[in-house]
Amino acid sequence: MALDDATSQFLSVVAEQGGKPIDRMTPTEARGLGAQLEAMYGPGPQVLNSSDERLPTADGGEFGVRILSVDAPRGVIVYFHGGGWVIGSPDEFDHLGRLLAVRTRCTVVLVDYRLAPEHRYPAAADDSWAALRWVAEQNLADGPLVVAGDSAGGNLAAVVAQRATAEGGPRIDLQVLVYPVTDCDTNTATYVDPDNQLMLSRDAMIWFWDHYVPDPALRTRTNASPLRAEDLTGLPPAVVVTAEHDPLRQEGEAYADRLRAAGVHVESRRFLGQMHGFFSMVNVLPGQQEGLDYVVGEVDRVLSGSAARHQ
């Protein structure tokens, strides 16, 4: 299926504006792209409270979390933003986080993990784990704990879900993986498909990997490539979203298949006519609303089931 009309029109406007592809930019230049998109998204809906906290790291550094609170939360969603471990911030995902908070009636915690190349692997994975443990200790809600993320954030959500299972907690009730990075193989069919070289290209993804994990030997470790884990038994139920025109589609769907084969309950959907990045493009692409509706519905199903079990 071809790209939907709205996406094609958006890409035409971007092309008319010119500019270098991301893989020819410096990390600082690439981070400026996020600010441009943030202006397009506009402000999100009101929440009960928004606050930022700084958390320490094991190596003496620190990273941030943004807590978007709602009244009488049904659960907590810990959200890891996309951006190839190099770009992205809570500011750029604030509108999406607010939508998730309001529509699911959950407290949403946006994790501002440290970015590469200033902080290379495994900094983002370690920060994400520390954030998850901190959230679990804070008792921000009595209901389920959900980890979620898109792209590199989906990678981090999968990584912490695996680690929580291996180390006996915190208990995660659902993992939401939106077009996640699950493997370091950039030679799959969807990676090399010329129709998929859009907002995220194969060259751009190689650029991200080179900044985050410059040593190829380390990329196959499971906290970088969760698809390579030997055993996925016992992992939390999962929602996996993929986009038709996305270099990462094959590895995302392969991860969903492996979870199912390990006995994990998985709900998955490939969004036809969509490209990588559509889920976060609030007020830009109509497909974003459809993707959000799907994720909210799946989260609500888990929340409702949890409430029923506690009655």
Side-chain angles (χ1 to χ4, degrees), residues 37 41 77-85 87-89 92-94 96-97 100 110-111 113 147-158 175-182 200 205 239 241-242 246 248 275-281 288 295:
L37 287 171
Y41 302 156
I77 300 173
V78 183
Y79 195 92
F80 307 101
H81 67 75
W85 312 282
I87 63 179
S89 71
E92 294 164 31
F93 285 78
D94 188 79
L96 177 62
L100 283 170
L110 301 174
V111 181
Y113 55 87
V147 295
D150 63 287
S151 195
N155 168 277
L156 297 172
Q175 51 180 326
V176 179
L177 313 178
V178 179
Y179 34 74
V181 181
T182 67
L200 178 70
M205 198 63 219
V239 175
V241 171
T242 59
D246 183 356
L248 305 183
M275 66 177 178
H276 186 90
F278 82 94
F279 183 77
S280 62
M281 301 187 74
Q288 189 279 333
V295 167

Side-chain angles (χ1 to χ4, degrees), residues 96-288:
L96 177 62
R98 287 169 179 264
L99 285 172
L100 283 170
V102 170
R103 294 199 54 192
T104 64
R105 302 205 317 275
C106 286
T107 293
V108 171
V109 180
L110 301 174
V111 181
D112 191 16
Y113 55 87
R114 293 171 296 171
L115 300 176
E118 296 88 347
H119 303 280
R120 299 189 191 276
Y121 166 87
D126 288 346
D127 292 354
S128 299
W129 175 246
L132 176 67
R133 294 183 63 191
W134 180 83
V135 169
E137 292 167 358
Q138 298 305 302
N139 295 318
L140 297 177
D142 294 331
L145 175 61
V146 177
V147 295
D150 63 287
S151 195
N155 168 277
L156 297 172
V159 165
V160 298
Q162 288 190 8
R163 185 167 178 179
T165 300
E167 299 187 14
R171 175 183 169 176
I172 296 170
D173 296 273
L174 180 68
Q175 51 180 326
V176 179
L177 313 178
V178 179
Y179 34 74
V181 181
T182 67
D183 194 32
C184 58
D185 183 1
T186 59
N187 293 307
T188 64
T190 55
Y191 253 112
V192 300
D193 187 339
D195 290 339
N196 295 346
Q197 313 306 308
L198 303 170
M199 288 291 285
L200 178 70
S201 66
R202 179 177 183 270
D203 288 342
M205 198 63 219
I206 291 172
W207 183 87
F208 285 127
W209 274 112
D210 286 345
H211 282 303
Y212 180 50
V213 195
D215 183 351
L218 299 179
R219 296 179 187 179
T220 59
R221 294 185 175 182
T222 56
N223 64 344
S225 293
L227 181 62
R228 302 200 178 210
E230 291 185 6
D231 186 7
L232 302 182
T233 304
L235 287 177
V239 175
V240 180
V241 171
T242 59
E244 181 182 13
H245 299 283
D246 183 356
L248 305 183
R249 190 189 81 216
Q250 188 168 332
E251 66 196 74
E253 293 175 355
Y255 195 64
D257 290 342
R258 282 209 57 208
L259 287 170
R260 288 191 184 97
V264 177
H265 179 82
V266 179
E267 297 289 340
S268 62
R269 180 174 169 184
R270 178 192 298 179
F271 281 79
L272 301 179
Q274 299 303 315
M275 66 177 178
H276 186 90
F278 82 94
F279 183 77
S280 62
M281 301 187 74
V282 183
N283 294 330
V284 177
L285 297 179
Q288 189 279 333

Side-chain angles (χ1 to χ4, degrees), residues 283-302:
N283 294 330
V284 177
L285 297 179
Q288 189 279 333
Q289 182 66 56
E290 186 178 0
L292 182 65
D293 288 346
Y294 176 71
V295 167
V296 168
E298 292 302 317
V299 171
D300 185 67
R301 178 178 55 80
V302 171

